[in-house]
Amino acid sequence: MNQFSIVGKDVPRNDARAKATGSAIYTDDVKLPGMLYGQILRSPFPHARILHIDTSQAASLPGVRCVMTGEDTPKVKYGNWRLFPETQDEYPLAIDKVRFIGDEVAAVAAVDPDIAQEALSLIKVEYEELPGVFDVDAAIKEGAPIIHDYCPSNISVNRKIKYGDIDKAFAESDYVREDTFHVHAVSHAYLEPCAAVAQCDLDGRITLWTSTQVPYIIQCLLASTLQMRENDIRIIKPFVGGGFGGKMELRTWEFCAAFMAKKTGRPVKFTLTREEEFLTGRRRHPMTIHSKVGFKKDGTLTAKDLKIYLDGGAYNAMGPTATFLCGNFGAMLYRYPSYRFHGQHVYTNKPPASAMRGFGAPQSIFATETQMSLAAEELGLDPLDIRLKNAQVSGDTIPDVATISSCGFIEALNKVAEMSDWREKRKTLPKGRGIGIGCYSFISGGVFNWFNTQYPFSAAEVRAFDDGTAHLLTMAADIGQGCDTVLKQILAEAFGLTMEDIRITSADTAITPQADLGAWGSRLTLMNGNAVLDAANKIKAQLFGAVSARFNLNVIHEIECKDGKVYPKGRPDRSLSFGEAVAMAQKINRGEPLVARGYYTPRNKGLVTPSFSFGAQVAEVEVDQATGVVQVQKFWTAHDCGTAINPMAVEGQLEGSIQMGLGYALSEQFVMEGGKTLNTNFLDYKMPSSMDVPPSEVVHIETYEPEGPMGAKEAGEGLAIPTAPAIADAVCHATGYRCKDLPITPEKILRAKRDR
Amino acid sequence: MKQVITLNVNGAPYAVAVYPSQTLNEVLREELNLTGVKLGCGSGDCGACTVLVDGLAVSSCLSLAVDMEGKAITTVEGLAPSGEVLHPIQESFIEKGAIQCGFCTAGMEMSAFHLLKYNPSPTEAEIKEAISGNLCRCTGYVKIIEAIADAGHKMANTGGETS
Ligand code: FES
Ligand code: FES
């Protein structure tokens, strides 16, 4: 069935050798002559007015080269949702007010990090403390403290979706249930702390090396906040040690490095500590989810009414997108004949929540999945059957929002049931052991242009050479997920070349073609892959012309690139090598090199995405009756990502997702008190280690996504969704404790047992 | 006051002037430019900074440079000194897909190196134990464990280390 040579193969990563030998350069490894070291002064209060800042002592400390506060900056607000400027609510350094513990107040650059640190302690800030709000309920109460003056309600984003006659549908339902869920904040916990190094050229232009998922967005927002032209800013993404959504906005240290490099004429580096990352870093949105669902007696869904409050923290960050997406995902997986959603993004005096792997879906789908299992119990159905009965299929639509293209959901449900011996185990497992299910669907990139880019969503430049090689240039950001390798595979396949024949340059805004919106929403394989194919096809048209002329081919001949050759289909005897064909095309063009640009922008694809992934996961657990400790015995996963361009990389995504989902379900959480994060190291923030990860089996459901390059779609984020609901369902099966409030802790399990 | 010490790193002696407060991690990265050694937390919790000191896996972020006088230090850069022929551990990490973002990789490889040196054919449980101090956020450890087992086989077949 697989007609591909390189696509679909377990090709080792493009950068694996550099990473295995320690020669891969990450941002903090960049060292430039005369470089200064920056540090950030942060607010000790969750909410306060800044009355006065005195930087004079700090500035006169020997070795200090620059001290800056918000007053020194052009005072331009920024935020990723450029399409709606009112959502842009952040300054690089606080102006007048601080809104969370850790909010950035001032910055110092000095000849060494210790001097910069000492200088921070010499900055005197006079604050007037203001009352803070630390959860959604407190923030939306009448008379609650106002966090941003422009937003007296503290509700910064409202999003509604409605279709079908929902009131009638509920009235005609045989069974209606209402539940409230609370899901918590977790950390991206990428291993590489954020860092940035800026250098100012003699002509005043800025080059910034930064650990980011979104070079183009950083370029644009850095330009606007510095009041410079976009083309005067060059962003280079070195190797990045993970992001998971936590590195997709312009951040203070990027701005300050650039600002101070310009001001001092010397390169400036900022590197965050792990403590800063935990204390102030972005996190997954906590949500309060009220969900009402209706069914017919036989388990057929009739209606869903979903109301979600997102605890956004002090700034919008990527909250608007999370607000949109949790509503869209509320309508995914199953066929809801009527649906109503109201999402509200609420400011609180905590570190801002933002994008994190799954982007609104892990929260929303945790509620969906838990309710499906609850309803199945009440209706006397197998949780698997209620899902099969309502599962979305290819061609289904969410009116005005999305159409489902390829869909292997039902196959995935059946497969995972078979692999896990679901029906038998659901009946026969002894007390203390349980089996549970969780499902997911996710987007292959977003289609809504919130950044208001004036460029295509994805772009690629391909250069073909007469030595039989090609060079791919793309702004796509490989942050560890492996898009450099996947894009190379796509190009190698299109040209019939090997991986060794392709060179790639990526994520340098001065060299790679405008533009690419970045690594988020699982968009790169589909969107950038399509741009690569577009460019490749333009080159191939020229090569085909050359071959056609060389062999005097009838115009009806189809020509292809394969095994390093270009030839009419079925006639490999009439072939030119790829290099010869390039040389000939170049001759025809009187020496002009063979270069093509390719683009992809999704059009007419609704409001969400061109294509969805689907999948199901079963977890088996054992719960210690005395201690309430949950031990996951095994995971089984069946997932549909269309064509797996690189199955080994897809497996890697799955295995990483399971680790993250396991942490989300059982062990990871921020311990907060009065807006302060108390667990600020890896000892107290319990991310699963090698000892915690259970065995897992996976099956890939074959589908072909017509909108994706060579049939591919999303593979990296969706898999982070099903693990928590699957474990919660299994814990309920084992103990009778139904978790509606993550994480699932021994304490909650034991308390439920006692209360029963 | 800085003091001059001699560090023996990857088989070569280096005289470096260090402050008594400087960690081995800082000196390796900043003074010797061995940036393959990473810093993920600075508090001994993540293992990204792991190096070998006299054959033992150690968190370089917690070790003071001045205590390292006269000890043999191996970093990831010392695994394949020629740069051409890789160490079997590195080969296996590449082939098995054990590397994603790569930030934990050097530390993982050093912990694996330490393990395989004393236990050339470890069980899965022993591998998990050996890297339990090395956090990885990308891979879920599965392919890392496979890679270490694979490297063990390779090393057994070639009669030990290649470097
Ligand atoms: S950096 Fe040393 S253990 Fe994390
Ligand atoms: S590969 Fe990213 S932390 Fe291990």
Side-chain angles (χ1 to χ4, degrees):
Chain A
M1 129 135 225
N2 189 340
Q3 73 280 34
F4 301 122
S5 312
I6 290 179
V7 158
K9 298 274 163 3
D10 289 342
V11 177
R13 296 178 62 94
N14 180 50
D15 54 15
R17 193 184 167 98
K19 287 172 173 174
T21 54
S23 56
I25 300 293
Y26 297 73
T27 303
D28 187 50
D29 304 336
V30 174
K31 201 162 148 188
L32 300 171
M35 191 168 78
L36 302 175
Y37 296 83
Q39 299 269 2
I40 297 165
L41 183 71
R42 297 169 179 281
S43 165
F45 301 114
H47 199 191
R49 212 173 295 289
I50 298 173
L51 302 177
H52 183 69
I53 306 180
D54 178 1
T55 58
S56 55
Q57 261 189 43
S60 58
L61 184 73
V64 170
R65 291 289 179 272
C66 186
V67 184
M68 66 183 289
T69 71
E71 290 303 318
D72 301 311
T73 70
K75 296 190 187 175
V76 178
K77 282 188 176 175
Y78 66 93
N80 278 2
W81 270 56
R82 278 203 309 195
L83 187 63
F84 298 99
E86 68 275 14
T87 64
Q88 297 186 293
D89 58 2
E90 236 172 320
Y91 290 111
L93 289 170
I95 305 287
D96 301 335
K97 233 180 129 172
V98 287
R99 297 179 175 87
F100 71 95
I101 293 175
D103 210 351
E104 294 94 348
V105 175
V108 172
V111 295
D112 81 42
D114 293 338
I115 295 177
Q117 191 67 46
E118 193 182 337
L120 289 188
S121 66
L122 298 176
I123 300 175
K124 303 266 174 307
V125 189
E126 239 179 275
Y127 293 100
E128 176 197 333
E129 277 189 72
L130 299 169
V133 286
F134 306 112
D135 59 49
V136 163
D137 289 343
I140 60 176
K141 231 198 230 124
E142 262 307 297
I146 295 167
I147 298 174
H148 291 267
D149 289 342
Y150 89 93
C151 184
S153 65
N154 288 332
I155 298 173
S156 65
V157 183
N158 266 286
R159 159 79 171 153
K160 291 182 179 175
I161 304 174
K162 186 173 184 304
Y163 61 83
D165 188 341
I166 191 165
D167 297 321
K168 185 157 165 266
F170 275 123
E172 290 171 359
S173 299
D174 298 320
Y175 169 65
V176 175
R177 67 169 301 125
E178 274 188 82
D179 300 281
T180 297
F181 301 90
H182 296 279
V183 287
H184 64 306
V186 284
S187 171
H188 306 88
Y190 36 72
L191 257 267
E192 181 210 16
C194 287
V197 180
Q199 187 177 38
C200 188
D201 305 343
L202 288 177
D203 57 4
R205 297 177 186 203
I206 300 281
T207 301
L208 182 81
W209 292 261
T210 183
S211 176
T212 187
Q213 309 178 214
V214 288
Y216 164 67
I217 288 181
I218 306 301
Q219 180 192 15
C220 297
L221 295 181
L222 195 53
S224 63
T225 47
L226 287 170
Q227 294 192 316
M228 291 171 67
R229 296 177 300 182
E230 268 171 30
N231 197 29
D232 291 337
I233 306 278
R234 175 184 186 183
I235 306 296
I236 300 173
K237 177 205 69 70
F239 287 104
V240 171
F244 311 110
K247 298 176 177 173
M248 70 166 291
E249 302 151 56
L250 176 69
R251 304 298 293 278
T252 296
W253 47 92
E254 293 169 320
F255 174 89
C256 291
F259 184 92
M260 290 168 140
K262 215 169 148 73
K263 194 139 188 189
T264 61
R266 292 172 65 166
V268 180
K269 180 199 279 188
F270 281 79
T271 303
L272 263 56
T273 63
R274 182 56 59 183
E275 189 185 5
E276 278 179 297
E277 286 282 2
F278 274 123
L279 191 68
T280 72
R282 301 300 203 227
R283 45 204 69 198
R284 179 177 283 158
H285 282 92
M287 294 188 194
T288 305
I289 303 172
H290 304 288
S291 179
K292 179 174 164 186
V293 275
F295 296 85
K296 289 291 184 193
K297 258 202 280 309
D298 67 354
T300 307
L301 276 165
T302 56
K304 180 169 183 172
D305 190 1
L306 184 65
K307 206 169 178 183
I308 299 184
Y309 290 97
L310 294 89
D311 183 345
Y315 298 97
N316 276 327
M318 285 306 293
T321 310
T323 312
F324 271 55
L325 286 180
C326 66
N328 297 330
F329 285 114
M332 285 304 295
L333 287 176
Y334 308 110
R335 304 166 122 177
Y336 299 95
S338 62
Y339 180 72
R340 181 164 59 202
F341 166 71
H342 186 191
Q344 298 176 79
H345 183 267
V346 181
Y347 285 132
T348 54
N349 292 112
K350 294 191 297 195
S354 194
M356 181 171 165
R357 203 177 201 169
F359 225 154
Q363 299 99 318
S364 185
I365 291 182
F366 176 72
T368 301
E369 286 298 280
T370 303
Q371 258 183 331
M372 287 303 270
S373 289
L374 278 164
E377 272 163 36
E378 298 275 323
L379 291 166
L381 297 168
D382 186 314
L384 176 70
D385 291 328
I386 201 170
R387 286 171 167 84
L388 282 167
K389 186 176 232 14
N390 293 290
Q392 283 175 329
V393 298
S394 176
D396 279 356
T397 57
I398 299 169
D400 304 327
V401 174
T403 300
I404 291 160
S405 167
S406 60
C407 175
F409 187 28
I410 289 182
E411 293 87 331
L413 280 166
N414 284 322
K415 191 74 210 171
V416 85
E418 178 197 317
M419 288 158 79
S420 63
D421 198 9
W422 169 270
R423 292 199 192 270
E424 188 57 27
K425 284 186 178 157
R426 191 78 184 183
K427 283 196 207 100
T428 58
L429 280 183
K431 198 169 167 208
R433 286 181 57 194
I435 190 165
I437 188 165
C439 303
Y440 79 90
S441 171
F442 199 66
I443 57 176
S444 310
V447 306
F448 184 54
N449 189 8
W450 39 260
F451 191 63
N452 199 17
T453 179
Q454 305 301 309
Y455 291 108
F457 274 28
S458 274
E461 180 175 312
V462 174
R463 305 174 183 168
F465 298 93
D466 63 4
D467 61 0
T469 65
H471 189 169
L472 169 60
L473 296 101
T474 168
M475 220 181 268
D478 196 327
I479 56 170
Q481 84 282 36
C483 63
D484 277 358
T485 308
V486 161
L487 295 172
K488 270 181 74 170
Q489 277 181 272
I490 291 173
L491 185 61
E493 187 70 49
F495 280 170
L497 297 177
T498 65
M499 290 296 272
E500 290 67 40
D501 297 329
I502 314 275
R503 162 193 282 267
I504 184 167
T505 300
S506 59
D508 177 337
T509 63
I511 293 174
T512 56
Q514 270 61 35
D516 185 274
L517 287 176
W520 50 266
S522 293
R523 56 184 298 285
L524 286 174
T525 297
L526 187 138
M527 297 202 179
N528 215 281
N530 278 337
V532 169
L533 277 187
D534 185 28
N537 286 336
K538 289 173 185 166
I539 298 244
K540 280 163 81 169
Q542 300 220 37
L543 300 181
F544 293 172
V547 170
S548 181
R550 166 72 180 75
F551 296 108
N552 193 20
L553 298 178
N554 188 317
V555 291
I556 62 167
H557 265 298
E558 215 179 296
I559 303 176
E560 63 183 354
C561 294
K562 225 179 161 91
D563 303 326
K565 300 191 182 73
V566 191
Y567 54 89
K569 215 169 183 163
R571 292 297 307 272
D573 55 314
R574 296 176 159 193
S575 71
L576 292 179
S577 73
F578 185 85
E580 286 166 344
V582 171
M584 192 157 287
Q586 205 166 317
K587 268 271 188 276
I588 292 168
N589 293 335
R590 309 284 319 262
E592 226 180 85
L594 207 47
V595 178
R597 292 250 168 108
Y599 302 103
Y600 178 78
T601 303
R603 298 194 172 99
N604 272 326
K605 299 287 169 201
L607 288 178
V608 191
T609 187
S611 87
F612 293 93
S613 64
F614 286 90
Q617 189 168 71
V618 167
E620 185 174 336
V621 304
E622 186 165 340
V623 184
D624 187 306
Q625 297 294 296
T627 62
V629 170
V630 177
Q631 197 73 47
V632 179
Q633 306 292 312
K634 186 153 181 180
F635 287 110
W636 296 266
T637 311
H639 72 111
D640 158 26
C641 64
T643 303
I645 305 267
N646 187 331
M648 182 164 80
V650 172
E651 269 171 39
Q653 290 295 314
L654 166 71
E655 289 152 4
S657 293
I658 284 180
Q659 187 245 30
M660 222 178 243
L662 191 68
Y664 187 45
L666 297 176
S667 62
E668 294 179 31
Q669 62 179 320
F670 283 108
V671 183
M672 307 277 301
E673 203 179 272
K676 189 173 166 85
T677 307
L678 301 179
N679 50 341
T680 58
N681 57 58
F682 279 124
L683 208 56
D684 298 322
Y685 183 90
K686 301 219 177 292
M687 158 173 146
S689 80
S690 56
M691 306 296 280
D692 302 314
V693 177
S696 106
E697 244 178 73
V698 56
V699 163
H700 171 57
I701 306 291
E702 286 277 344
T703 64
Y704 190 92
E705 171 53 48
E707 183 68 15
M710 296 163 181
K713 56 182 176 177
E714 188 277 328
E717 288 185 78
L719 289 160
I721 299 166
T723 305
I727 294 174
D729 194 36
V731 166
C732 182
H733 188 221
T735 66
Y737 163 63
R738 176 58 73 180
C739 172
K740 295 186 190 175
D741 140 32
L742 286 174
I744 305 160
T745 59
E747 191 188 342
K748 290 177 190 169
I749 293 173
L750 292 181
R751 198 181 303 136
K753 190 173 163 191
R754 192 194 60 201
D755 294 347
R756 224 170 310 122
Chain B
M1 256 287 281
K2 280 192 172 180
Q3 65 191 83
V4 177
I5 59 168
T6 304
L7 287 181
N8 179 336
V9 184
N10 299 329
Y14 297 88
V16 276
V18 303
Y19 289 109
S21 61
Q22 271 184 305
T23 63
L24 176 60
N25 185 274
E26 214 179 322
V27 173
L28 292 173
R29 285 181 55 79
E30 301 298 330
E31 309 294 332
L32 303 186
N33 291 320
L34 295 170
T35 52
V37 183
K38 295 298 178 225
L39 186 71
C41 70
S43 54
D45 302 320
C46 77
C49 65
T50 306
V51 299
L52 295 196
V53 176
D54 285 345
L56 294 177
V58 161
S59 295
S60 65
C61 73
L62 289 186
S63 317
L64 290 176
V66 287
D67 291 342
M68 295 297 136
E69 179 94 59
K71 297 187 176 156
I73 297 157
T74 311
T75 71
V76 65
E77 288 89 347
L79 278 184
S82 81
E84 275 190 39
V85 185
L86 297 189
H87 190 279
I89 293 174
Q90 294 170 315
E91 278 176 10
S92 296
F93 268 64
I94 295 170
E95 290 158 10
K96 295 287 172 192
I99 301 171
Q100 288 189 32
C101 82
F103 207 76
C104 70
T105 305
M108 287 284 182
E109 289 176 343
M110 296 318 288
S111 290
F113 185 71
H114 176 243
L115 169 72
L116 295 176
K117 198 168 175 149
Y118 296 100
N119 181 357
S121 45
T123 63
E124 187 178 320
E126 286 168 337
I127 296 175
K128 285 185 172 180
E129 171 88 48
I131 58 164
S132 61
N134 293 80
L135 293 175
C136 173
R137 190 54 154 175
C138 303
T139 65
Y141 309 100
V142 180
K143 298 198 185 307
I144 293 175
I145 295 164
E146 275 172 35
I148 295 172
D150 185 64
H153 293 142
K154 274 191 192 137
M155 288 162 69
N157 292 341
T158 57
E161 308 156 24
T162 58
S163 62

